Amino acid sequence: MPYETIIVEHRGPVALITLNRPKALNALSDQLVTDLGNAVDAAEADDNVGAIVITGSEKAFAAGADIKEMAGFSYMDVYKANFITAKWERVAKCRKPVIAAVAGYALGGGCELAMMCDFILAGDNAKFGQPEITIGTIPGAGGTQRLTRFVGKSKAMEMCLTGRNMDAAEAERAGLVSRIVPVAELVDEAVKVAERIAKLSRPIVMMAKESVNKAYETTLTEGVTFERRLFHSTFATEDQKEGMAAFAEKRQPDWKNR
Ligand code: HXC
């Protein structure tokens, strides 16, 4: 499907979604968020896709929600439309793994979008921030919640109250990103990691993702119980039999995705 504001390519089992509004530094317009949601729907429904990478340009992953688009909205406009963050949740709800490959600015909604992905690989020029306070609003797509869970209260509070950015090195130290990659290699590296995941057993990968995500939503005791139930259920899959047999037979597993 052709999209107005994003480009979707398939690299082997990986769907690579590139945000593509370069003149606006990939500001997340309503159209872009709609396109992104539709692309995630398509990737999730496509059996050939085992993992998704979302990226932007070298200058900007995304510089936030589209300020020019939302400047004139009234309370009733945003309330009735559940503006627009309800649509963004599509990325957070995707059951297949989603990697954010972030180069340049990931500000406001851009930082929030990256945090909705399963993990973030950062280019060495990446800058993360929640500058909404400087334009008279606050983060509205989970920034105050997810950033606090990633980096702790002190750093999240400072960033949300001052609007200052974090560079890639600080973001890695703080646990916001999993790794820093030279910007020229970022997308290829993200696709390589996504491909590695996509070649594993798809249902087992989904279970691992579901279990890690549970850690954000529940107590340790409940989370560990949830993990144990899923762990037990892996023993009902063909892929657990195949994976362990392949190890014992010193060969590569031939995953059945069942
Ligand atoms: C609309 C944007 C934009 C944005 C940049 N542009 N960010 N348009 N919405 N969020 C546009 C600029 O207006 C400009 O258009 C072009 O992109 C290039 O930007 P410049 O500012 O000229 O580039 P530069 O000097 O390099 O500065 C880069 C920047 C700056 C530091 C990232 O653009 C900036 O501060 N942007 C806004 C960041 C921000 O406040 N984000 C939070 C948004 S609120 P023209 O036409 O002049 O060339 C948000 C809330 C989310 O995200 C809540 C959920 C809905």
Side-chain angles (χ1 to χ4, degrees):
M1 194 202 296
Y3 297 102
E4 251 178 68
T5 59
I6 61 173
I7 298 166
V8 180
E9 296 161 66
H10 288 93
R11 297 210 193 161
V14 178
L16 172 62
I17 302 176
T18 304
L19 310 182
N20 188 36
R21 294 186 71 212
K23 285 187 191 142
L25 302 184
N26 293 329
L28 300 159
S29 60
D30 190 39
Q31 183 64 50
L32 190 149
V33 176
T34 301
D35 284 350
L36 181 59
N38 289 338
V40 170
D41 278 344
E44 185 133 62
D46 185 345
D47 284 343
N48 295 317
V49 173
I52 299 166
V53 172
I54 301 179
T55 195
S57 68
E58 284 199 5
K59 175 151 191 204
F61 177 73
D66 192 313
I67 300 169
K68 293 167 192 169
E69 192 175 83
M70 68 183 162
F73 287 168
S74 69
Y75 173 72
M76 270 303 136
D77 292 333
V78 296
Y79 180 76
K80 286 201 285 191
N82 213 1
F83 171 74
I84 49 179
T85 56
K87 278 194 203 171
W88 303 34
E89 293 289 328
R90 182 65 192 91
V91 173
K93 292 204 159 73
C94 182
R95 297 179 76 205
K96 290 182 178 174
V98 186
I99 301 173
V102 174
Y105 295 110
L107 303 181
C111 187
E112 293 170 306
L113 175 61
M115 290 190 292
M116 282 184 199
C117 299
D118 294 318
F119 59 94
I120 302 173
L121 290 182
D124 49 18
N125 70 342
K127 291 178 205 64
F128 299 87
Q130 299 291 160
E132 290 88 343
I133 198 87
T134 66
I135 57 166
T137 186
I138 68 168
T144 62
Q145 305 303 299
R146 288 195 177 91
L147 189 63
T148 307
R149 284 164 164 79
F150 274 110
V151 305
K153 179 181 169 188
S154 198
K155 233 179 232 301
M157 191 67 96
E158 188 200 347
M159 288 175 71
C160 290
L161 295 189
T162 67
R164 90 161 169 90
N165 294 344
M166 243 192 229
D167 65 15
E170 184 179 3
E172 188 187 31
R173 279 199 305 277
L176 178 59
V177 310
S178 68
R179 266 180 317 121
I180 302 174
V181 177
V183 69
E185 295 160 28
L186 176 67
V187 172
D188 285 346
E189 178 63 17
V191 169
K192 205 158 88 187
V193 175
E195 197 166 18
R196 177 179 171 158
I197 297 168
K199 286 182 173 161
L200 296 166
S201 163
R202 303 271 171 90
I204 304 295
V205 163
M206 285 165 72
M207 288 183 198
K209 168 170 172 161
E210 208 180 333
S211 197
V212 174
N213 278 336
K214 198 71 175 177
Y216 278 92
E217 306 287 352
T218 193
T219 63
L220 181 61
T221 304
E222 287 298 319
V224 169
T225 303
F226 180 84
E227 178 194 81
R228 189 171 309 139
R229 294 285 172 257
L230 275 182
F231 168 67
H232 290 164
S233 69
T234 65
F235 286 79
T237 66
E238 289 180 26
D239 284 346
Q240 173 269 331
K241 301 285 171 292
E242 170 61 12
M244 294 191 186
F247 176 81
E249 292 160 20
K250 299 188 188 299
R251 61 173 175 82
Q252 288 301 309
D254 176 17
W255 303 116
K256 307 290 183 239
N257 294 326
R258 300 169 63 82

